Amino acid sequence: MDLTDEATRAEVTDHLGRLYAGRPVVLGPGILAGYTSLVTWFRELGSPALVVSNARGAGPVPAEGDCVVVEVPPPASISITDELRQHDRMARDLPAYAVAAIEEFDPAGDGIWFTSPFVTTDEPILGRPVTGGRPASFLALEDKMLADDIWAAADVPCAPHLIVAVERSALAAATDALAGPMGAVWSGDARDGFNGGGNYVRWIREDRDRATGLGFFGLHCDRVRVLPFLDGVPCSIHGMVLPDGTAAFRPVEIAMLRNMADRTFVYGGLGTYWDPPDADRDEMRDVVRRVGAHLQSAHGYRGAFGIDGVLTADGFRPTELNTRMSAGATVVAETDRRFFTLLQANLVAGVDVGLTVADLESLVALMDAERSGKAVAVAEGPKVGGDFSFPVAWDGHAFSRADEPTGNILVVADTPTGFFAKVEPCLALGPGERLAEVNVALLAFVDAEYGSTFGALEAAPDVRRAATG
């Protein structure tokens, strides 16, 4: 099936929409602006929508009358990890007024939920089946203590590692054994649930880094994985597990920035402008196929997943597994976001989608032709006091406020844990250009405008190209 043909893809998308067509759909909990497109899609399927919103978010929200909105303030959060962990608990322990609103919206009880990957699908919510999330067994696979066994089972080259108890002497011995010229990296386990966004990752170079790392992990984890610091371009590769195998997509740059003085990592945006060398691209795609085959055979896996890692001087080295439609996967899915969103929901729900690996991989050419990405800032702590947008100018090195339209808008809004900012649309980068360098400038601008404390950041170097000439 040639999915590059828009008419063909539209027909398949209509088929995938049957899971929801004509049924009331409850969306959330989550950021209201994140559900705007979904509300439109479900309306076109004849499916009225209700959104359980925990914040407005940055960007357009559904128009008045397009859906019912029930606001449920989130519990206090201090990090993205805390915020995401609460999604499942919030959905299953809604306040009485929210439950009453849902029952009024869907009095017959024949509706369906569409939610985030951080809500489990094993049990219904308020008697309604859950989609858009994932089984608890899939979520559990994101524990970083499991990743290296998965790489070994899939015959994927990886960096040396040690998993040790959160204990001073054990961590010191492991770090001394593995640290390279730029130190080591500690990653915490999932004892208390999912963690992401770099919240449970620490860069260790000096004694003070070890002390602060031990203090943090002593409160939150039982075990830590120790890796040498991997220098190179942070990146990811994504795929989808189908009945006949795993479809592999194209690489994605992760703008994971470095504060060299503080030894901290700051997450920026994601983009498909950057290209690794062709041989590395082929190897990364082969890695995702091998890991997908293992996940399918050993864990009954289905649907999207991604592998984050670093393109080092020695090639791609994986660091973590994301068993969901991750942020990087949504970037490659920009070729047709509606198609991929519905496809993922159907696959996880166990629906026969009638598609093959070859069908999906026909879209890789479109992913290469239609590059995408966004420079973003995710600040924890400070608030901006609402939601704002204004034009910004870019001179190739820095952002500044503009008095007239420039084609680029900075959108900023409060979140439960701080604020979020992004440039829309992203600057028109060309194939091979690095989004990370743009993101360094964005975070410097946000620091100046809103008092955030990202500090002096750097983009990781492309050591692979330097090593291979």
Side-chain angles (χ1 to χ4, degrees), residues 128-172:
R128 297 163 178 86
V130 183
T131 64
R134 52 183 161 163
S137 61
F138 290 6
L139 189 155
L141 291 169
E142 291 201 17
D143 188 338
K144 295 174 182 63
M145 305 304 106
L146 304 177
D148 296 282
D149 287 343
I150 292 173
W151 313 146
D155 194 26
V156 172
C158 62
H161 74 283
L162 289 169
I163 295 175
V164 298
V166 181
E167 188 273 325
R168 187 182 304 276
S169 60
L171 282 166

Side-chain angles (χ1 to χ4, degrees), residues 149-422:
D149 287 343
I150 292 173
W151 313 146
D155 194 26
V156 172
C158 62
H161 74 283
L162 289 169
I163 295 175
V164 298
V166 181
E167 188 273 325
R168 187 182 304 276
S169 60
L171 282 166
T175 302
D176 290 342
L178 293 177
M182 296 186 67
V185 173
W186 295 357
S187 301
D189 66 22
R191 182 193 72 185
D192 296 335
F194 160 89
N195 63 72
N199 291 142
Y200 280 50
V201 179
R202 296 294 183 272
W203 180 5
I204 309 298
R205 295 193 77 175
E206 299 179 3
D207 288 344
R208 66 185 176 97
D209 304 327
R210 298 188 186 200
T212 56
L214 182 63
F216 174 83
F217 290 116
L219 294 174
H220 300 286
C221 301
D222 292 328
R223 298 183 299 160
V224 163
R225 182 185 67 180
V226 181
L227 288 173
F229 184 99
L230 300 177
D231 203 16
V233 177
C235 53
S236 58
I237 188 71
H238 306 269
M240 275 189 157
V241 177
L242 301 166
D244 70 327
T246 299
F249 303 138
R250 60 151 291 122
V252 173
E253 178 193 6
I254 305 172
M256 187 61 74
L257 312 176
R258 309 169 177 180
N259 185 314
M260 301 294 285
D262 295 342
R263 263 90 62 202
T264 54
F265 300 115
V266 176
Y267 170 75
L270 298 144
T272 59
Y273 302 104
W274 169 77
D275 288 310
D278 289 345
D280 293 309
R281 170 190 167 109
D282 292 343
E283 171 61 17
M284 291 173 71
R285 296 186 71 206
D286 192 47
V287 163
V288 89
R289 292 187 185 104
R290 297 202 301 274
V291 171
H294 169 72
L295 293 176
Q296 185 177 41
S297 62
H299 301 283
Y301 196 83
R302 55 195 182 273
F305 70 97
I307 301 168
D308 290 354
V310 179
L311 187 58
T312 71
D314 299 317
F316 179 70
R317 295 294 180 265
T319 56
E320 63 182 73
L321 175 69
N322 295 312
T323 48
R324 53 189 153 91
M325 193 78 177
S326 64
T330 61
V331 173
V332 295
E334 286 296 336
T335 52
D336 192 328
R337 190 74 171 272
R338 181 175 185 171
F339 164 77
F340 277 106
T341 299
L342 292 175
L343 174 60
Q344 170 68 359
N346 276 261
L347 286 171
V348 175
V351 175
D352 181 3
V353 298
L355 297 173
T356 67
V357 168
D359 294 335
L360 281 194
E361 290 194 346
S362 71
L363 288 169
V364 173
L366 277 183
M367 296 171 183
D368 288 336
E370 300 176 5
R371 306 298 179 104
S372 64
K374 280 189 172 63
V376 306
V378 184
E380 295 179 350
K383 303 280 187 176
V384 297
D387 57 278
F388 311 96
S389 63
F390 53 87
V392 289
W394 169 251
D395 65 5
H397 303 284
F399 286 98
S400 60
R401 280 182 177 261
D403 296 325
E404 299 178 353
T406 62
N408 289 294
I409 302 292
L410 183 77
V411 180
V412 59
D414 287 330
T415 68
T417 56
F419 73 85
F420 174 82
K422 61 182 176 179

Side-chain angles (χ1 to χ4, degrees), residues 94-116:
L94 291 168
Y97 71 86
V99 173
I102 291 169
E103 298 300 346
E104 181 180 355
F105 166 75
D106 176 30
D110 56 5
I112 188 168
W113 280 78
F114 187 100
T115 186
S116 80

Side-chain angles (χ1 to χ4, degrees), residues 20-27 38-51 65-68 105-107 110-112:
Y20 303 96
R23 303 174 68 177
V25 179
V26 181
L27 297 143
L38 282 159
V39 167
T40 299
W41 299 341
F42 289 133
R43 280 171 57 86
E44 292 172 357
L45 290 169
S47 302
L50 178 148
V51 180
D66 280 0
C67 64
V68 177
F105 166 75
D106 176 30
D110 56 5
I112 188 168

